[in-house]
């Protein structure tokens, strides 16, 4: 007597309780994340529809109708109850017993070192085997596998943020990026989406550090660049920068142009135009408001500077950006 198996499928989507149950049940499995992602990829077919499909398959194979009453319904095991109250010693013993390990520390150190050095060419080689890798990462929440994964990734973002700052990335920019990716992680509802956000965060930090490394200047020039980056919406003067660096305005001006290749005023304009490009692409703010916020004297002057640096007017730049996103 043979058997015909129809599936695999689920009768309902996985909720957090079921994910936690799978995690506990399959703790000896080498990669629980892959297993859960497999379950989440299965089609959801309700009991009534599945029963109808089974009857149809039986009818097609044996050329006779099967009485629905003959179908035996079974259910899986229920999650165990009355678990002992967790304690630090009990948790250590449980993980020793089940041979559960955490992320390989050497992989983590290699990844953070690549972020710190801006090695975009190398970070991809280790990204899947470290903070967001294929290892069993431990658990930071007993109530929810999703919550545990988010907590782990948030910790990872914090570590990567610090590594990027050590690599020369502007602190304010790094912390803003960190806040952004933590917020993105909080909004995700499945493991694949969480992993995708974390991967994006790793590459975003590494690429920004790489750009800083390409333009490595003295501490004086870097301090000026960081100040300008942090105060694009404020009035920035040569006297402020000179006071910041303890140099005379004339000397600082000549050194900045010698090292960077453009004057301080031109560098500030370039940075503000780059900021304007982001606002035009990502927001619906009026061009006049963007011009005012970024301290341009008037909109016609802003338009001239913008076109000189980009080849198109602000309005045209926004239209092209919208068209590009629509095409994607």
């Amino acid at each position: 007597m043979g058997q015909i198996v129809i599936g695999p499928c689920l009768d309902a989507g996985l909720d957090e309780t079921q994910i936690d149950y799978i995690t506990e049940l399959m703790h000896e499995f080498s990669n629980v994340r892959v297993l859960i992602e497999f379950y989440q990829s299965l089609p959801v077919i309700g009991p009534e529809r599945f029963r109808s499909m089974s009857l149809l398959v039986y009818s097609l194979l044996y050329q006779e109708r099967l009485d629905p009453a003959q179908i035996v319904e079974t259910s899986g095991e229920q999650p165990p109850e009355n678990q002992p109250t967790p304690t630090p010693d009990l948790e250590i013993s449980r993980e020793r017993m089940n041979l559960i390990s955490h992320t390989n520390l050497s992989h983590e150190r290699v990844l953070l070192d690549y972020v710190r050095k801006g090695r975009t060419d190398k970070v991809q080689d280790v990204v899947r085997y470290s903070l967001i890798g294929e290892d069993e990462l431990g658990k930071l929440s007993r109530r929810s596998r999703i919550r545990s994964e988010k907590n782990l990734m948030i910790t990872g973002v914090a570590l990567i943020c610090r590594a990027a700052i050590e690599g020369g990335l502007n602190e304010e920019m790094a912390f803003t990026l960190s806040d952004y990716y933590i917020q993105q992680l909080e909004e995700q509802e499945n493991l694949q989406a969480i992993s995708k956000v974390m991967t994006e965060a790793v590459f975003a930090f590494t690429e920004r550090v790489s750009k800083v490394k390409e333009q490595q200047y003295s501490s004086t020039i870097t301090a000026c660049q960081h100040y300008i980056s942090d105060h694009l919406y404020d009035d920035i003067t040569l006297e402020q920068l000179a006071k910041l660096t303890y140099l005379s305005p004339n000397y600082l001006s000549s050194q900045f142009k010698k090292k960077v290749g453009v004057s301080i005023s031109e560098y500030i304009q370039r940075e503000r135009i780059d900021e304007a490009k982001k606002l035009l692409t990502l927001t619906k703010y009026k061009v006049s408001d963007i011009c005012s916020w970024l301290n341009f004297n008037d909109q016609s002057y802003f338009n001239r500077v913008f076109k000189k640096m980009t080849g198109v007017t602000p309005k045209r730049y926004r239209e092209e950006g919208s068209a590009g996103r629509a095409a994607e």
Side-chain angles (χ1 to χ4, degrees):
M1 183 74 178
Q3 291 183 331
I4 297 174
V5 178
I6 302 176
C9 66
L10 299 174
D11 61 356
L14 290 182
D15 57 28
E16 292 190 359
T17 300
Q18 291 168 317
I19 291 176
D20 291 339
Y21 176 50
I22 293 171
T23 302
E24 293 295 331
L25 188 64
M26 303 297 291
H27 58 259
E28 294 183 359
F29 190 70
S30 60
N31 192 342
V32 177
R33 180 189 282 109
V34 171
L35 181 65
I36 292 174
E37 290 179 354
F38 166 73
Y39 274 109
Q40 290 177 326
S41 70
L42 296 177
V44 176
I45 302 176
E48 291 298 327
R49 185 182 176 195
F50 189 80
R51 188 180 296 108
S52 299
M53 291 171 59
S54 301
L55 292 171
L56 176 60
V57 171
Y58 184 91
S59 175
L60 292 172
L61 289 174
Y62 298 105
Q63 302 299 310
E64 62 178 89
R65 297 185 63 182
L66 180 67
D67 184 353
Q70 293 179 259
I71 297 178
V72 178
E73 295 187 7
T74 61
S75 60
E77 299 178 51
Q78 295 301 313
E81 299 179 356
N82 302 320
Q83 292 289 334
T85 302
T87 65
D89 288 337
L90 179 61
E91 186 67 12
I92 291 172
S93 296
R94 186 186 74 84
E95 298 208 1
R96 283 174 177 166
M97 185 185 306
N98 295 323
L99 300 177
I100 293 176
S101 61
H102 289 70
T103 301
N104 187 313
L105 187 58
S106 63
H107 287 154
E108 177 182 309
R109 287 172 175 167
V110 170
L111 174 62
L112 295 179
D113 187 57
Y114 285 156
V115 174
R116 193 177 295 111
K117 294 178 179 177
R119 294 298 302 271
T120 55
D121 58 326
K122 292 289 187 179
V123 73
Q124 188 170 355
D125 296 338
V126 297
V127 72
R128 296 187 181 280
Y129 300 98
S130 48
L131 292 175
I132 58 171
E134 300 297 324
D135 301 328
E136 175 59 41
L137 293 176
K139 181 178 289 189
L140 297 185
S141 172
R142 286 187 169 277
R143 296 184 177 181
S144 166
R145 174 72 184 187
I146 298 296
R147 181 68 264 163
S148 176
E149 198 77 5
K150 287 181 180 180
N151 291 346
L152 285 162
M153 297 305 107
I154 288 170
T155 302
V157 169
L159 290 172
I160 291 168
C161 175
R162 297 290 178 178
I165 291 172
E166 291 172 4
L169 187 63
N170 176 268
E171 287 188 13
E172 192 62 34
M173 182 181 294
F175 287 132
T176 300
L177 273 179
S178 175
D179 292 344
Y180 170 77
Y181 282 111
I182 287 173
Q183 291 166 8
Q184 291 297 305
L185 286 168
E186 288 289 0
E187 293 176 3
Q188 308 311 313
E189 299 297 335
N190 61 69
L191 299 180
Q192 287 177 313
I194 292 171
S195 181
K196 182 179 179 181
V197 170
M198 188 60 190
T199 301
E200 182 183 326
V202 172
F203 284 107
F205 276 103
T206 309
E207 287 169 0
R208 288 174 185 270
V209 173
S210 177
K211 290 180 180 179
V212 171
K213 299 292 186 185
E214 290 174 359
Q215 299 177 336
Q216 196 68 57
Y217 300 114
S218 67
S219 58
T220 298
I221 302 300
T222 301
C224 290
Q225 291 176 323
H226 284 185
Y227 183 89
I228 292 168
S229 176
D230 293 341
H231 296 82
L232 286 177
Y233 294 86
D234 301 328
D235 184 31
I236 304 172
T237 65
L238 176 60
E239 287 70 24
Q240 289 172 329
L241 296 174
K243 185 177 180 180
L244 174 71
T245 57
Y246 302 100
L247 297 174
S248 70
N250 288 339
Y251 183 74
L252 173 61
S253 180
S254 64
Q255 287 299 303
F256 192 97
K257 186 168 184 178
K258 179 180 178 181
K259 300 295 183 181
V260 181
V262 295
S263 67
I264 289 177
S265 59
E266 187 176 347
Y267 181 84
I268 293 172
Q269 276 194 349
R270 189 173 67 187
E271 292 297 296
R272 283 177 169 160
I273 293 300
D274 283 344
E275 185 73 4
K277 287 159 63 177
K278 296 174 187 175
L279 294 177
L280 289 167
T281 303
L282 302 174
T283 74
K284 295 183 180 180
Y285 296 138
K286 294 179 180 178
V287 173
S288 58
D289 288 338
I290 295 173
C291 164
S292 176
W293 293 337
L294 291 173
N295 281 274
F296 283 90
N297 295 331
D298 57 65
Q299 189 170 337
S300 60
Y301 176 65
F302 171 68
N303 289 344
R304 289 199 304 273
V305 174
F306 192 96
K307 186 172 183 179
K308 179 182 177 182
M309 293 190 177
T310 66
V312 294
T313 64
K315 181 180 179 181
R316 182 61 181 169
Y317 186 88
R318 170 171 276 170
E319 291 172 349
E320 291 178 352
S322 300
R325 289 195 301 275
E328 291 177 0

